[in-house]
Amino acid sequence: MRIGVFVCHCGTNIAGTVDCAAVAAAAQQFPEVVLAVDTPYACSEPGQRAIIEAIEQKGLNGVVVASCTPRMHEATFRRTVERAGLNRYMFEMANIREHVSWVGRDKKLNTFKATDLVRIAVEKLRYNRPLTAKSFAVNKRVLVIGAGVAGIQAALDCADGGLETIVVERTSTVGGKMAKLDKTFPTVDCSVCVLGPKMVDLAQHRKIKLYAMSEIADLSGYVGNFEVSIRRKATYVDWNKCTGCGLCADKCPSRKAPDHFNELVGRTTAISIPFPQAIPKKASIDASSCLHFLKDRCGVCAKVCPVEAIDFEQQDEVVKESVGAVVVATGFDLLDIRRFGQYGGGRFPDVVTSLQYERMLSASGPTGGHLKCPSDGREPKSVVFISCVGSRDRSMDRAICSGFCCMYTAKQAILTKSHVPDCETHVFYMDIRAPGKGYDEFIRRAQEEYRTNYVRGRVSSVYPKNGRLAVRGADTLLGTQTEVMADLVVLAVGAGAAEGSRDLAEKLRISYDAYGFFMESHPKLKPVETNTAGVFLAGACQGPKDIPASVAMGSAAAGKVMALFSKERLESDPQVAQVNAVRCVGCLKCLRTCPFGAIQEVQARDGSTKAQVIESVCQGCGVCTVTCTDRAIELQHFTDNQLLAEVNYLCRSWMEKSPA
Amino acid sequence: MSVVDGKEPSVKELRIIGFLCNWCSYGGADTAGVSRFSQPTDLRIIRVPCSGRVTPLFVVKALMSGADGVLVSGCHPRDCHYSEGNLYARRRLEVLKRFLPTLGIEPERFEYIWVSASEGERWQTSVTAFTERIHALGPSPAVKVNRYDARLVAGGL
Amino acid sequence: MSTIDLLREAIRAKLPDLDMVLAWGGDDPLRASPLFIRTESDLENLAAPHLYVSNLAVNLYSLRSKKIGLVVKGCDSRSVIQLLKEGLIARPSLYIFGLPCEGVVDAAKINREIPDAGRATGLAVRSGRVMVQTPENEHILDLDAVLADRCLRCRYPNPLIYDQLIGEAIPVGEIPDLYQDLDEFEALSLDARHDFWMETMRRCVRCYACRNACPLCVCKAHCVADSREPHWLTLETNVSQKWFFQVLHSMHLAGRCTECGECERACPMGLPILLMRRKLNREIRELFGYEAGLDLMTTPPLSTFSIEEENIAEREL
């Protein structure tokens, strides 16, 4: 082979703590290396051009770039060598930035380590073989999971782009958290009035198929060809018949069902439609509150329903859909208020979450938009807002800033004044975080125009006093302790991943962080992609986000799907397993261990059994290779010989150093 | 073989080989790098697609050929990019770990852990702890075999 | 009728339906060799049961296209089960004569006990005693003293799979394998264990007799030990290559080895290589409650997983 080695300085990122020239000089002595140079920025246009020129002038047929992580630029450099006519798999990367210069302090040791990493890249490259991608057809349908504002936006954009779109929503209506908000910041316009038309568009779009009250049961397959199983949960109402007239809910005698749409503020009927603008506007029965299911009597709804839609015998049903890409937009949930006992969470009825407060402010909410204390229905004359409840709190392992609380708290303080003009409003905060168009101005309005009392400091406790609540905390600007009397306390409870996110992540084979939020492929350059090809993220499931950011991300995900689907065929990754039929004894252990069903049994010409890899299904994990004692099945680009070359060099060079 | 001035590195290193899955642990090591979490320099990382690709034979081969320590790291159980690879790996590597003492190799020279792509700090802690552990154990007994074989070649036996 | 007569008649009756029957025969009074019975006249060479030392299952994979009759002892039957379970042979092309076994004698042990064993003319076993006839003497030995090692810890004297049982099953209680040999070895210091293998592997001649005798080493025709794709081993006959070969062989048998002991018996240098396989088996039994070659249904533990492993603690650093 004729190998070229390019050692990148990455400015001072690498060169600051690695002697790149020395690494290149050492690499010049490696077997089959005909050229080794250091370069200021290998990924820059001149850097890439130098690689191409070297390939052409020196007749290189293999290239090693020692620079950043291959997770960053492997694709970049593969394209570079391809432009010079090499097969893109005749390229290896040595990660001397993330794994060397950024983590080691001793320049000498770093240089020694970087040289080793370059050497094992060379050793592996010597066993690399050109690989060629195969192409396969794409199913140009997209699945959107979650129909909050991010999911709705993604679905509408995909459908407007001409794609058949399947939307799966867990609750009985689309709209998500935004549909529960009274007003939005910083414009203070009606939330559901903004969102409503989009919800209607979603329901009426001829390219969109909506499954409400449904969940993902399973997802298999791979980019371009996923198979999804959707569990349609029993609503005990035949939605093909239900007209959403609401007569059933009017007559339902069981009126103490938990009202999830209203965040458990107030009660609803056992059969209900969550809110007037619900999409689809269909009734469903909460079996845990329905007298028919609890006591085997009643059946009033069935009697009054003019279209005979009630079906107490209905069961969950699993339907299958085939799609080529998935947009995950499952949003967030607030932490359980009962975790905040020190603020009276779960202990005092007049301590509520910010989202409960939204419902209390909303004209379509349980109080009809009249602000009332849940304990006795009196109108509050003092409302205290506590920020950063479960956010930026290391004591509960949540260093995360939930991002949107500062803004909605200011909005809620403003709205409080418009509901009850003589009500005092106090906000306990740590810092105000208001980057965004018109955001800081909005905070100012809350403080100046709406005379909200902002107290910088943590609250230590909330306790009952004289029939009201005393909020005691620090005022760090005055350096004193302070106590404020409140009729109502609103906790800006931190955002966590939506309930069930981890289970969903496992089904989708995507990763999540310590808070359960899904991991993007790269924090800066691939914020919408996941590490699973064909699965994209939108909205707060990736981390707390306000509405404009969620909408933007929904559109971004749709854009990614459309870019993916702009090709008639996709290229399969050729880093797949391959069977050497001569070695194969036909035991089919590989077939049984393959997580993807990518191995099939075939008969050889002599009638013997052999394993065969279905290349478009194989994902390249290599479990089969390890299972096969005879190595009759090898994962291309990560063969035993390639990995052994690395191991052998590292051990051999080490033993040569040790005194005999 | 040192490259800076032809002399041995100033701090005595040992040879530690890491097999990291591309999706979680390699990313975790990258995250540690991006966060500038400093670590001992002994470890040499070999990237593999999945911990399920790591045959225990790579580990034994490394330990028997002179590596002082081997660390395998993959996605947390349930989080495997390939859904099941790390679960196969866990069984195979656990059996291996229990087998090593029969070969006269300290089982502590080999460890397998789960580090996700977001766990840069966990990666730093793990590398540091493992490197310290290997330094406490000292050089691998494979040195003896190597010396014996070297003498064999030299005709000394 | 004696066992050998029963066996002879059973084979005679089935022979017309089979391409051949694998049994034991030959003239050596201390050990029988494999006998390939194709015609009735071959039946005359059938040897006596206490000499059936080898495991005939080793031949099954290469004869898998034929209709084969096979005589199995309890231990051999486990190899057959394992081969069937791994899909390496097919049950319909196999007819199994199951032979309850009281143990086989180890010729090497007799050689150690009797100086003139090399000139033995006959051997008989009666009620726990072994009578060895030489031209000059008749030696009487304790059967236990000359039984093969594996017979001394035998837990399955009766075949676990057969089409026809020859004679009566031997009553057995629960016999635990106490792994005394392993415990003794593991009582040594790590250093001593390491040195033990270094010394053992120094003596290995890398003849692959162990591999060739293994009934489960079905890929020996293109063994990774002497292939370049993949290139796990060089051809140097140094300790590191020979030792690694033995480790590789043992690990390829993890969860598969039935401890028939043919590897060790075949070793011309008498190296105790079964020990490594027994270690892996003990760990697999403790971790997964699994033993190879006992039934056809259970999935081998290394070909499957549990999301929550009962006996594997999460590892932390």
Side-chain angles (χ1 to χ4, degrees):
Chain A
M1 267 183 96
R2 295 178 62 80
I3 296 172
V5 175
F6 300 85
V7 183
C8 178
H9 292 207
C10 195
T12 55
N13 279 306
I14 294 169
T17 54
V18 172
D19 184 344
C20 296
V23 174
Q28 188 72 59
Q29 308 303 317
F30 294 165
E32 304 188 273
V33 170
V34 296
L35 172 79
V37 291
D38 53 318
T39 166
Y41 286 101
C43 63
S44 67
E45 202 280 329
Q48 293 190 46
R49 200 172 54 231
I51 294 172
I52 292 172
E53 282 167 6
I55 292 171
E56 287 162 353
Q57 287 163 11
K58 297 273 182 178
L60 304 179
N61 53 12
V63 169
V64 170
V65 172
S67 58
C68 51
T69 171
R71 286 161 56 96
M72 178 91 179
H73 272 321
E74 188 172 59
T76 311
F77 290 119
R78 279 180 174 171
R79 283 194 297 272
T80 308
V81 301
E82 211 162 40
R83 285 213 300 280
L86 290 195
N87 181 281
R88 71 172 92 145
Y89 294 95
M90 299 309 286
F91 167 76
E92 285 296 327
M93 244 174 131
N95 182 349
I96 62 168
R97 193 179 73 176
E98 282 82 349
H99 292 186
V100 181
S101 69
W102 279 353
V103 294
R105 293 212 174 108
D106 182 318
K107 189 163 186 173
K108 218 169 188 180
L109 290 173
N110 280 354
T111 305
F112 177 53
K113 181 175 177 182
T115 308
D116 268 352
L117 295 188
V118 172
R119 177 64 183 261
I120 61 175
V122 168
E123 292 293 335
K124 171 163 189 276
L125 179 60
R126 295 170 72 197
Y127 286 91
N128 282 18
R129 298 284 171 270
L131 301 176
T132 316
K134 293 216 166 48
S135 76
F136 60 92
V138 187
N139 182 347
K140 295 187 182 179
R141 302 174 88 221
V142 57
L143 167 72
V144 177
I145 308 172
V149 68
I152 291 173
Q153 187 65 42
L156 287 174
D157 286 353
C158 286
D160 286 346
L163 303 179
E164 275 192 57
T165 306
I166 317 291
V167 178
V168 174
E169 164 57 41
R170 171 159 72 178
T171 67
S172 68
T173 174
V174 305
K177 295 284 187 292
M178 186 176 171
K180 299 187 178 195
L181 305 182
D182 179 33
K183 302 282 193 310
T184 62
F185 61 78
T187 46
V188 201
D189 48 356
C190 163
S191 184
V192 80
C193 311
V194 182
L195 182 65
K198 280 189 180 290
M199 292 165 58
V200 174
D201 286 352
L202 183 86
Q204 295 181 347
H205 205 296
R206 59 184 182 83
K207 288 279 189 185
I208 295 178
K209 191 196 258 184
L210 171 63
Y211 293 98
M213 276 298 260
S214 301
E215 285 182 321
I216 304 301
D218 189 37
L219 182 104
S220 61
Y222 50 95
V223 57
N225 293 281
F226 291 107
E227 292 290 324
V228 57
S229 300
I230 300 164
R231 177 175 299 108
R232 308 186 69 174
K233 293 177 282 188
T235 58
Y236 309 107
V237 177
D238 183 343
W239 281 9
N240 292 325
K241 295 180 183 163
C242 176
T243 60
C245 69
L247 205 54
C248 51
D250 287 347
K251 302 288 183 201
C252 178
S254 172
R255 310 192 83 85
K256 296 230 165 133
D259 189 346
H260 293 285
F261 183 78
N262 281 322
E263 292 287 311
L264 307 179
V265 180
R267 301 274 175 168
T268 185
T269 44
I271 186 165
S272 66
I273 297 169
F275 64 109
Q277 297 92 335
I279 299 277
K281 196 171 183 189
K282 306 285 182 189
S284 47
I285 294 177
D286 175 354
S288 63
S289 303
C290 172
L291 294 174
H292 172 83
F293 289 100
L294 292 175
K295 301 192 171 156
D296 200 18
R297 54 185 172 83
C298 188
V300 169
C301 49
K303 289 184 201 109
V304 300
C305 178
V307 292
E308 297 181 343
I310 308 298
D311 175 9
F312 291 122
E313 305 303 311
Q314 202 177 67
Q315 300 284 323
D316 287 6
E317 182 193 355
V318 174
V319 294
K320 303 231 179 220
E321 292 281 359
S322 309
V323 296
V326 180
V327 175
V328 190
T330 49
F332 69 98
D333 273 323
L334 294 186
L335 303 182
D336 189 338
I337 190 174
R338 288 170 295 186
R339 292 174 69 178
F340 306 100
Q342 73 275 32
Y343 302 140
R347 291 164 57 212
F348 311 129
D350 293 342
V351 176
V352 299
T353 68
S354 47
L355 209 46
Q356 287 175 323
Y357 196 59
E358 289 287 340
R359 296 312 303 150
M360 291 161 67
L361 291 167
S362 169
S364 66
T367 54
H370 300 294
L371 213 44
K372 291 176 183 169
C373 292
S375 60
D376 55 6
R378 73 180 191 280
E379 192 176 71
K381 295 298 175 193
S382 170
V383 179
V384 171
F385 298 89
I386 305 177
S387 298
C388 297
V389 176
S391 301
R392 304 177 65 197
D393 185 351
R394 285 173 180 272
S395 72
M396 59 185 296
D397 267 342
R398 279 185 52 91
I400 184 178
C401 168
S402 293
F404 41 43
C405 324
C406 288
M407 293 307 299
Y408 71 61
T409 298
K411 174 197 73 182
Q412 291 178 344
I414 290 173
L415 291 174
T416 305
K417 290 278 192 190
S418 39
H419 279 70
V420 185
D422 62 342
C423 180
E424 290 174 25
T425 49
H426 308 269
V427 175
F428 281 88
Y429 70 102
M430 289 169 68
D431 301 285
I432 297 294
R433 297 191 164 174
K437 266 192 183 172
Y439 284 16
D440 204 58
E441 299 91 312
F442 186 70
I443 300 279
R444 288 273 172 195
R445 275 178 69 200
Q447 291 171 334
E448 292 161 9
E449 193 178 325
Y450 289 88
R451 299 178 319 282
T452 305
N453 173 32
Y454 270 73
V455 183
R456 188 176 188 277
R458 279 269 193 202
V459 169
S460 57
S461 65
V462 175
Y463 58 96
K465 192 173 176 184
N466 304 333
R468 300 176 80 196
L469 291 167
V471 180
R472 180 186 285 265
D475 185 330
T476 55
L477 295 181
L478 292 178
T480 58
Q481 285 291 315
T482 182
E483 187 175 286
V484 180
M485 292 308 294
D487 297 307
L488 198 59
V489 175
V490 181
L491 305 184
V493 175
E499 195 191 327
S501 299
R502 285 179 171 83
D503 283 344
L504 183 64
E506 282 158 25
K507 286 175 186 140
L508 302 177
R509 300 194 299 276
I510 59 177
S511 345
Y512 48 86
D513 66 17
Y515 308 108
F517 293 115
F518 301 138
M519 289 277 291
E520 65 279 14
S521 191
H522 188 279
K524 293 175 190 68
L525 301 177
K526 291 181 173 179
V528 178
E529 292 93 329
T530 66
N531 277 333
T532 299
V535 178
F536 304 98
L537 303 177
C541 64
Q542 180 262 354
K545 258 171 218 65
D546 62 11
I547 294 165
S550 298
V551 171
M553 200 169 171
S555 288
K560 285 286 169 190
V561 172
M562 283 186 273
L564 179 72
F565 288 177
S566 66
K567 305 178 192 79
E568 285 309 311
R569 298 178 73 78
L570 291 181
E571 281 197 343
S572 67
D573 189 337
Q575 298 174 80
V576 294
Q578 195 176 49
V579 175
N580 178 346
V582 176
R583 300 183 78 94
C584 177
V585 297
C587 69
L588 302 177
K589 288 190 195 98
C590 52
L591 182 151
R592 284 187 283 273
T593 50
C594 176
F596 304 97
I599 296 170
Q600 60 188 352
E601 179 180 351
V602 291
Q603 300 294 316
R605 218 178 279 169
D606 65 357
S608 62
T609 300
K610 301 284 174 189
Q612 191 179 63
V613 176
I614 311 167
E615 284 184 35
S616 58
V617 181
C618 175
Q619 298 295 294
C621 65
V623 165
C624 54
T625 301
V626 181
T627 303
C628 179
T629 51
D630 197 32
R631 294 300 186 274
I633 186 162
E634 282 254 42
L635 178 59
Q636 303 300 293
H637 211 58
F638 289 98
T639 62
D640 276 3
N641 276 2
Q642 288 171 316
L643 298 174
L644 277 171
E646 299 186 61
V647 173
N648 287 342
Y649 169 73
L650 289 173
C651 295
R652 193 177 64 235
S653 65
W654 193 245
M655 284 294 104
E656 280 164 5
K657 279 166 60 76
S658 80
Chain B
M1 177 200 67
S2 173
V3 291
V4 179
D5 50 11
K7 289 187 202 130
E8 290 294 308
S10 49
V11 180
K12 192 68 193 162
E13 283 193 343
L14 288 174
R15 172 79 2 140
I16 303 175
I17 300 179
F19 293 91
L20 273 65
C21 83
N22 179 50
W23 305 99
C24 290
S25 297
Y26 198 93
D30 284 351
T31 305
V34 171
S35 316
R36 310 297 198 277
F37 291 151
S38 75
Q39 298 153 38
T41 47
D42 309 47
L43 178 75
R44 305 287 183 264
I45 291 171
I46 295 176
R47 183 166 71 131
V48 290
C50 176
S51 53
R53 172 64 188 91
V54 182
T55 164
L57 287 167
F58 284 143
V59 180
V60 189
K61 176 83 177 167
L63 288 173
M64 290 178 66
S65 307
D68 302 303
V70 177
L71 180 63
V72 176
S73 186
C75 307
H76 287 274
R78 293 174 188 270
D79 292 349
C80 176
H81 180 72
Y82 305 102
S83 63
E84 299 169 354
N86 55 356
L87 303 174
Y88 286 109
R90 178 166 59 183
R91 287 196 160 194
R92 294 161 175 171
L93 296 174
E94 178 68 21
V95 170
L96 170 73
K97 193 165 171 66
R98 290 161 176 245
F99 181 51
L100 290 176
T102 296
L103 301 178
I105 298 172
E106 298 93 335
E108 297 80 13
R109 290 191 186 276
F110 162 61
E111 199 54 88
Y112 66 97
I113 53 168
W114 318 122
V115 175
S116 81
S118 63
E119 292 174 324
E121 206 174 336
R122 179 175 160 85
W123 177 251
Q124 177 197 34
T125 317
S126 302
V127 172
T128 308
F130 189 66
T131 308
E132 282 168 3
R133 184 204 277 184
I134 298 305
H135 276 267
L137 287 168
S140 150
V143 174
K144 278 198 273 186
V145 182
N146 186 59
R147 278 184 202 152
Y148 182 91
D149 286 344
R151 269 182 292 160
L152 193 69
V153 172
L157 291 166
Chain C
M1 259 200 293
S2 67
T3 309
I4 186 167
D5 293 333
L6 286 170
L7 179 61
R8 189 180 287 114
E9 289 321 304
I11 295 175
R12 194 192 308 280
K14 288 303 290 186
L15 196 55
D17 305 333
L18 302 166
D19 289 331
M20 69 180 90
V21 175
L22 307 190
W24 294 268
D27 303 327
D28 188 334
L30 299 189
R31 66 167 85 72
S33 44
L35 178 67
F36 290 62
I37 300 166
R38 291 184 180 80
T39 62
E40 284 209 15
S41 63
D42 294 331
L43 280 169
E44 300 314 308
N45 294 325
L46 206 60
H50 286 99
L51 307 180
Y52 293 178
V53 65
S54 59
N55 181 351
L56 299 173
V58 70
N59 301 295
L60 289 179
Y61 179 71
S62 54
L63 294 172
R64 65 194 180 283
S65 56
K66 301 254 190 300
K67 180 103 174 114
I68 298 290
L70 177 75
V71 188
V72 297
K73 309 183 291 289
C75 50
D76 308 336
S77 74
R78 293 180 61 192
S79 303
V80 175
I81 290 175
Q82 194 60 27
L83 285 165
L84 285 167
K85 185 162 167 164
E86 295 187 20
L88 296 165
I89 54 173
R91 188 70 179 90
S93 56
L94 201 59
Y95 189 88
I96 305 172
F97 303 91
L99 195 71
C101 170
E102 294 172 321
V104 296
V105 295
D106 181 339
K109 286 189 183 176
I110 295 174
N111 275 317
R112 275 201 298 274
E113 296 285 333
I114 306 169
D116 56 346
R119 296 192 293 129
T121 55
L123 177 144
V125 176
R126 261 189 301 279
S127 48
R129 291 273 191 281
V130 181
M131 271 71 73
V132 182
Q133 193 70 50
T134 61
E136 290 81 22
N137 301 304
E138 190 186 42
H139 302 273
I140 299 181
L141 301 166
D142 225 3
L143 179 58
D144 278 355
V146 295
L147 276 181
D149 281 347
R150 68 175 193 274
C151 302
L152 293 172
R153 54 172 181 256
C154 176
R155 293 179 298 139
Y156 303 98
N158 297 308
L160 301 175
I161 188 172
Y162 53 82
D163 295 294
Q164 185 181 351
L165 195 67
I166 308 300
E168 299 287 316
I170 296 168
V172 275
E174 185 76 7
I175 309 164
D177 187 343
L178 298 174
Y179 289 105
Q180 206 182 339
D181 51 342
L182 253 182
D183 283 342
E184 280 167 21
F185 182 69
E186 290 183 344
L188 298 173
S189 71
L190 277 173
D191 249 3
R193 283 178 250 175
H194 189 269
D195 292 349
F196 171 84
W197 289 118
M198 255 183 79
E199 174 54 25
T200 301
M201 295 307 159
R202 190 185 60 75
R203 290 166 53 216
C204 170
V205 293
R206 202 170 170 178
C207 65
Y208 298 135
C210 48
R211 178 192 75 189
N212 298 342
C214 178
L216 291 171
C217 269
V218 291
C219 39
K220 51 179 77 96
H222 20 74
C223 177
V224 291
D226 41 22
S227 89
R228 290 182 65 82
E229 287 274 354
H231 198 187
W232 279 95
L233 286 146
T234 70
L235 293 174
E236 294 160 282
T237 46
N238 58 21
V239 170
S240 52
Q241 295 296 314
K242 293 187 288 189
W243 189 1
F244 185 70
F245 167 71
Q246 289 298 343
V247 171
L248 181 140
H249 190 188
S250 302
M251 290 180 66
H252 277 179
L253 288 164
R256 305 172 62 222
C257 174
T258 64
E259 296 183 26
C260 73
E262 287 293 272
C263 48
E264 204 166 284
R265 200 179 62 81
C267 178
M269 305 306 289
L271 305 182
I273 47 181
L274 185 62
L275 197 64
M276 287 190 216
R277 291 146 179 79
R278 276 171 59 71
K279 169 65 176 175
L280 286 163
N281 275 356
R282 171 151 86 171
E283 296 307 331
I284 282 172
R285 210 158 93 179
E286 282 177 10
L287 281 168
F288 310 114
Y290 177 89
E291 269 184 277
L294 295 187
D295 68 276
L296 289 169
M297 297 315 293
T298 47
T299 310
L302 297 185
S303 295
T304 183
F305 59 82
S306 299
I307 291 173
E308 306 287 344
E309 293 287 359
E310 234 173 274
N311 299 321
I312 303 179
E314 284 303 311
R315 307 218 54 95
E316 291 290 337
L317 269 167

